[in-house]
Amino acid sequence: MEPGPVSEPPAEPEESFAFAAERERMVDEQIRARGVRDARVLAAMRRIPRHLFVAPELDREAYGDWALPTAEGQTISQPYILTRMLELLELEPDHRVLEIGTGTGYQTALLARLAREIFSIERIHTLLEGARAQLRMLGARNVRLRLGDGSLGWQEFAPYDRVLVAAAAPRVPEALKDQLGERGVLVIPVGGAEAQRLEVWRRTSAGRWEWRRHGECRFVPLLGRDAWREGRGPSGRDD
Ligand code: SAH
């Protein structure tokens, strides 16, 4: 048999200049302008292609200063809020991080650049599988995903250095505190249906807790055993 032509390696997916430029602008005008200074977080935001995590018909809006709707009535958070949470986490490159609410996987992709190992839980199957495909395409190898109720944490790989909750909780779920290691930090939006405040919980070396409340935000509800009850949102109405 004749040897066939040597095949070219598949081309890297090309990214149009416009998206890269929009990403730069997002970082300058929405994030640095509001005071976020963590250089590693800013570099990750410049790098991860947010437009690939939203529906194609919304990709022109992906770098705007807002949250966007995603599948299953959920949202991809406003870039600034994500960055603020990442900054409050004080991530180090060797950290193991538990994330609750994978959603599109965008924030997971950012975490994967900033820390050693990411464990992320999502309760909606189609979202989880969408995120899995996207993260694989971007070559993120340090991420483990799981379908389940994140209000109960992920005991198997505990303790974690950091825990990030990307949905609004009525209070801090006990399991998440239990699964946080010494000097660990947990960032979570806590409050009602209309608005929440970002809370940062830190386990001190003496085994005590310090916590601080930061700015206002608005997330979709955390639904689960130690959160809002499924089928009933924080409003008390059916969701
Ligand atoms: N940061 C994500 C957006 C998260 S939106 C992104 O970058 O796309 C919040 C997500 O939390 C939703 O996908 C929702 O389905 C999920 N969620 C809500 N309650 C949950 C729970 N108990 N366990 C796991 N995921 C949950």
Side-chain angles (χ1 to χ4, degrees):
M1 205 167 102
E2 290 286 306
V6 177
S7 63
E8 292 283 320
E12 287 286 312
E14 289 257 331
E15 187 181 74
S16 75
F17 173 70
F19 285 123
E22 281 189 53
R23 214 153 45 236
E24 284 293 325
R25 208 166 55 176
M26 166 185 81
V27 170
D28 286 344
E29 294 178 5
Q30 300 169 33
I31 297 167
R32 289 187 61 239
R34 289 196 180 99
V36 175
R37 289 288 176 269
D38 186 321
R40 296 178 65 236
V41 170
L42 297 178
M45 294 297 280
R46 288 198 179 95
R47 183 72 181 242
I48 302 294
R50 179 172 163 94
H51 64 281
L52 298 182
F53 290 86
V54 302
E57 62 273 20
L58 289 178
D59 68 0
R60 299 285 142 136
E61 295 182 53
Y63 297 100
D65 197 9
W66 41 66
L68 285 171
T70 60
E72 310 287 346
Q74 303 300 313
T75 53
I76 180 169
S77 311
Q78 180 197 19
Y80 166 68
I81 285 292
L82 288 181
T83 329
R84 184 73 184 120
M85 294 179 102
L86 292 172
E87 187 175 56
L88 290 171
L89 273 179
E90 300 173 24
L91 289 165
E92 303 283 346
D94 66 337
H95 279 164
R96 298 168 71 253
V97 182
L98 175 65
E99 179 190 43
I100 309 303
T102 319
T104 64
Y106 174 62
Q107 188 158 28
T108 320
L110 294 166
L111 288 169
R113 287 196 72 83
L114 295 167
R116 177 157 59 102
E117 226 179 338
I118 316 304
F119 302 85
S120 185
I121 309 182
E122 168 59 51
R123 63 181 280 276
I124 300 179
H125 179 258
T126 49
L127 291 180
L128 188 76
E129 293 314 313
R132 192 189 303 283
Q134 210 52 252
L135 290 163
R136 190 175 294 148
M137 205 187 71
L138 290 178
R141 283 184 231 286
N142 53 341
V143 175
R144 273 183 208 242
L145 300 177
R146 180 186 152 191
L147 188 69
D149 175 5
S151 73
L152 305 177
W154 193 344
Q155 181 62 50
E156 189 182 353
F157 298 103
Y160 303 97
D161 301 298
R162 300 291 186 258
V163 175
L164 174 60
V165 182
R171 62 190 167 271
V172 183
E174 280 307 314
L176 300 185
K177 287 168 82 178
D178 291 346
Q179 293 172 23
L180 194 65
E182 199 175 285
R183 284 193 282 271
V185 175
L186 183 156
V187 175
I188 181 170
V190 176
E194 295 307 317
Q196 308 92 36
R197 304 275 299 272
L198 282 181
E199 291 188 2
V200 178
W201 289 70
R202 187 184 303 267
R203 193 197 283 275
T204 67
S205 47
R208 293 221 172 80
W209 290 95
E210 286 171 357
W211 70 279
R212 293 189 64 175
R213 187 176 276 160
H214 293 265
E216 211 167 83
C217 51
R218 187 174 178 161
F219 282 80
V220 296
L222 182 75
L223 299 174
R225 289 260 300 282
D226 194 7
W228 301 107
R229 298 302 300 276
E230 297 208 20
R232 297 189 74 79
S235 60
R237 296 187 304 264
D238 285 347
D239 269 347

